[in-house]
């Protein structure tokens, strides 16, 4: 089998696992169930994934990668940050919505272990580094004030977005359109608005 066929089989398994998790609790989901839903054999399933947790870790990692790709208009962009923020956030929220049950499981597993599983760390770091690079680029272009360190800004703003999306959209079923508009505007104002002159410090 060529690499394309192997990749296609792996993707079919991941798709089957994602669909199964939508209607079957993680603790009750079995590798046999996933194999049947993927129309593949147990041998093929275990060739790619030694156990259920490895499969779920890969599924969560894929969701993170898809979110980064969706957010790339801003993270990798070089144009108008306000427009690219709105577009990237809207695309990312769409990916989050389609993977809501997977991301809810990620939060559950992370909470049980009281830490972020190491397999996921590179994908989270990639988001932070992408935001840091974009803010630093825009500061160098002179379109964002340089009075706030890019890394601190990126970490704080990503935490804001993650918490709001988790609580209000995934768990609360809020209005995604309104959330996208407000979150994008808050990010833009925090990074790109010129600070007004305040009272002199002592």
């Amino acid at each position: 089998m060529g690499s394309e066929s192997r990749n296609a089989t792996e993707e079919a398994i991941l798709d089957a696992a994602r669909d199964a998790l939508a209607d079957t609790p993680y603790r009750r989901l079995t590798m046999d169930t996933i194999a049947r839903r993927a129309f593949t054999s147990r041998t093929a399933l275990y060739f790619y994934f030694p156990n259920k947790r490895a499969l779920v870790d890969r599924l969560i990692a894929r969701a993170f990668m898809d979110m980064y790709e969706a957010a790339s208009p801003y993270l990798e962009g070089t144009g108008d940050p306000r427009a690219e923020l709105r577009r990237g956030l809207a695309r990312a929220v769409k990916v989050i919505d389609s993977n809501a049950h997977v991301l809810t499981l990620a939060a559950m597993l992370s909470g049980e272990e009281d830490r972020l599983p190491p397999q996921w760390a590179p994908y989270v770091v990639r988001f932070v580094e992408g935001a840091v690079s974009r803010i630093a680029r825009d500061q160098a272009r002179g379109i964002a004030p340089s009075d706030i360190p890019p890394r601190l800004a990126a970490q704080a703003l990503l935490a804001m977005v993650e918490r709001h999306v988790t609580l209000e959209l995934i768990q609360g079923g809020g209005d995604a359109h309104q959330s996208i508009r407000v979150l994008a505007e808050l990010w833009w104002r925090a990074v790109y608005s010129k600070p007004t002159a305040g009272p002199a410090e002592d």
Side-chain angles (χ1 to χ4, degrees):
M1 292 172 61
S3 60
E4 290 186 2
S5 296
R6 288 198 299 271
N7 289 338
T9 301
E10 183 180 10
E11 288 300 305
I13 293 169
L14 289 168
D15 287 341
R18 184 185 63 185
D19 293 345
L21 283 167
D23 53 40
T24 306
Y26 172 70
R27 302 299 181 201
R28 291 172 48 200
L29 184 62
T30 66
M31 294 290 272
D32 284 343
T33 298
I34 295 168
R36 287 195 300 271
R37 294 184 75 144
F39 299 102
T40 192
S41 66
R42 284 171 50 89
T43 301
L45 178 60
Y46 281 102
F47 173 79
Y48 290 102
F49 304 102
N51 51 55
K52 182 173 67 172
R53 179 55 189 267
L55 195 161
V56 168
D57 281 343
R58 178 68 181 86
L59 191 61
I60 293 167
R62 187 176 70 165
F64 279 126
M65 288 189 289
D66 289 346
M67 283 189 289
Y68 187 93
E69 178 62 27
S72 63
Y74 176 73
L75 297 176
E76 305 290 342
T78 57
D80 173 23
R82 204 171 200 170
E84 290 172 347
L85 264 168
R86 187 79 174 268
R87 182 179 174 218
L89 190 56
R91 288 173 29 145
V93 167
K94 186 175 181 180
V95 172
I96 290 167
D97 183 62
S98 65
N99 289 278
H101 56 291
V102 174
L103 298 173
T104 299
L105 174 59
M108 182 195 78
L109 294 174
S110 180
E112 287 180 354
E113 298 173 2
D114 199 28
R115 65 184 177 88
L116 184 71
Q119 297 92 329
W120 309 346
Y123 304 101
V124 176
V125 169
R126 190 183 181 204
F127 265 101
V128 174
E129 295 303 326
V132 170
S133 296
R134 175 62 196 253
I135 293 169
R137 288 199 308 273
D138 288 344
Q139 288 178 340
R141 292 165 64 193
I143 63 173
S146 59
D147 59 328
I148 297 177
R151 184 167 300 279
L152 183 60
Q155 290 170 337
L157 290 166
L158 284 169
M160 172 191 73
V161 171
E162 184 274 333
R163 184 158 181 80
H164 178 85
V165 168
T166 299
L167 294 179
E168 300 300 327
L169 299 186
I170 294 179
Q171 297 179 4
D175 183 344
H177 179 76
Q178 183 179 26
S179 290
I180 291 163
R181 180 182 61 81
V182 172
L183 288 171
E185 186 66 14
L186 287 172
W187 186 302
W188 185 87
R189 293 186 189 187
V191 174
Y192 298 95
S193 295
K194 303 291 184 183
T196 57
E201 295 183 0
D202 294 335

